[in-house]
Amino acid sequence: MKKEQLRLVSIYLLWLFIVSPLTVALFSPIIKNGGINIALIGILLAPLTYLLTFYLYKFIFKSKYTLKNLFTEPQINRHYIKKGILTAIIVLIVTFGFNILYFSIFKDFINNNNRADNVNGLLSIPFSLTILTGGIIIPFIEEIVFRKGIKEVMPNSKPLTYIIISSLIFSSVHIQNVENLYNMIFYIMGAFIDGLIFAYIYEKERTIWPSYIAHALYNTIILLIQVCLVWKD
């Protein structure tokens, strides 16, 4: 196995067996229990996970990239905004298409009344905090970690390799609804597909702004839909 390939496999295994289980363990009780503190704790845990990931990668792979460099981005502009909005539309279309296909194939095994654990937690807090946490803050941190951060520890990888590895790692922290295998696979696969699109946009633009805008819009729209469904019930 080539050195670069071994490096990429190590990155994924490190995340899958160390960082991801720790993240899930930290988030799960908070997400499932809900309450007003979920926003505050979530805002603290997400950067903590990012820092843990960044410094693990930095230590193991002897990266010279600093935290200050990682947050350095070009100024947001009209092009990035347009690209982000267009990407959000594409993600929504692809996601709803995947949802329809998956539910049609596994309709006898899926629990249709079982929302994603993270959505349930976010819906248990005031609406403003729901949008602030799930629609604005967490997407930004996730783009820093899973798009820009991963790229910085594998800068010489081929675009397709980076996109796939980034998406695999991104999907691994979306393990939820573990009481139903088909629901759990649904959320992991959905995150992987979304991650492919976000990573592709980052690879093409080399800045988190388009992927962040797309991610934030997508999360906000999904949360608004879920809020409307809750009010309807």
Side-chain angles (χ1 to χ4, degrees):
M1 184 179 290
K2 294 181 180 179
K3 185 177 180 181
E4 182 67 16
Q5 291 174 325
L6 181 62
R7 179 187 177 97
L8 298 182
V9 171
S10 300
I11 289 172
Y12 181 62
L13 293 178
L14 172 66
W15 181 272
L16 185 62
F17 293 109
I18 298 179
V19 183
S20 179
L22 178 60
T23 305
V24 173
L26 287 171
F27 272 94
S28 291
I30 300 164
I31 287 171
K32 289 184 177 181
N33 294 332
I36 187 66
N37 290 328
I38 184 177
L40 299 177
I41 298 176
I43 291 170
L44 292 174
L45 281 179
L48 178 63
T49 305
Y50 158 70
L51 288 171
L52 175 62
T53 307
F54 178 77
Y55 283 109
L56 274 173
Y57 289 167
K58 184 177 174 64
F59 173 76
I60 292 175
F61 300 113
K62 296 180 173 60
S63 171
K64 296 181 180 180
Y65 211 78
T66 67
L67 196 61
K68 182 179 179 180
N69 295 139
L70 198 58
F71 280 96
T72 301
E73 286 289 332
Q75 289 186 343
I76 192 168
N77 57 45
R78 189 174 300 178
H79 168 74
Y80 295 151
I81 294 173
K82 288 182 178 179
K83 184 73 71 172
I85 294 173
L86 177 60
T87 302
I89 294 172
I90 293 172
V91 173
L92 284 167
I93 293 172
V94 171
T95 298
F96 284 121
F98 166 72
N99 291 0
I100 293 171
L101 179 62
Y102 191 91
F103 275 75
S104 65
I105 295 174
F106 300 106
K107 60 183 178 181
D108 295 330
F109 305 98
I110 291 286
N111 182 352
N112 292 318
N113 297 319
N114 193 356
R115 289 191 186 89
D117 291 334
N118 58 349
V119 172
N120 279 330
L122 288 169
L123 293 180
S124 69
I125 60 178
F127 176 73
S128 58
L129 287 179
T130 296
I131 300 302
L132 176 64
T133 304
I136 298 176
I137 296 176
I138 289 180
F140 178 74
I141 295 169
E142 288 182 339
E143 291 309 306
I144 286 289
V145 174
F146 303 114
R147 254 59 72 179
K148 187 173 179 63
I150 298 300
K151 186 64 177 179
E152 294 304 334
V153 297
M154 45 188 291
N156 300 319
S157 62
K158 294 180 179 179
L160 182 60
T161 304
Y162 157 71
I163 290 169
I164 292 175
I165 292 293
S166 170
S167 303
L168 282 172
I169 295 175
F170 177 63
S171 66
S172 71
V173 294
H174 288 77
I175 299 174
Q176 52 190 329
N177 295 73
V178 295
E179 64 277 2
N180 184 304
L181 177 62
Y182 292 91
N183 282 62
M184 182 178 70
I185 292 174
F186 167 73
Y187 291 116
I188 294 173
M189 289 182 64
F192 176 74
I193 293 170
D194 294 344
L196 289 174
I197 301 173
F198 294 140
Y200 170 78
I201 293 301
Y202 179 81
E203 173 67 30
K204 187 175 180 181
E205 300 292 335
R206 294 303 178 92
T207 171
I208 67 165
W209 291 124
S211 59
Y212 166 64
I213 291 170
H215 197 161
L217 282 174
Y218 170 77
N219 276 23
T220 300
I221 291 171
I222 294 299
L223 287 172
L224 287 173
I225 292 173
Q226 294 297 330
V227 167
C228 290
L229 290 175
V230 169
W231 288 347
K232 182 179 178 181
D233 295 337

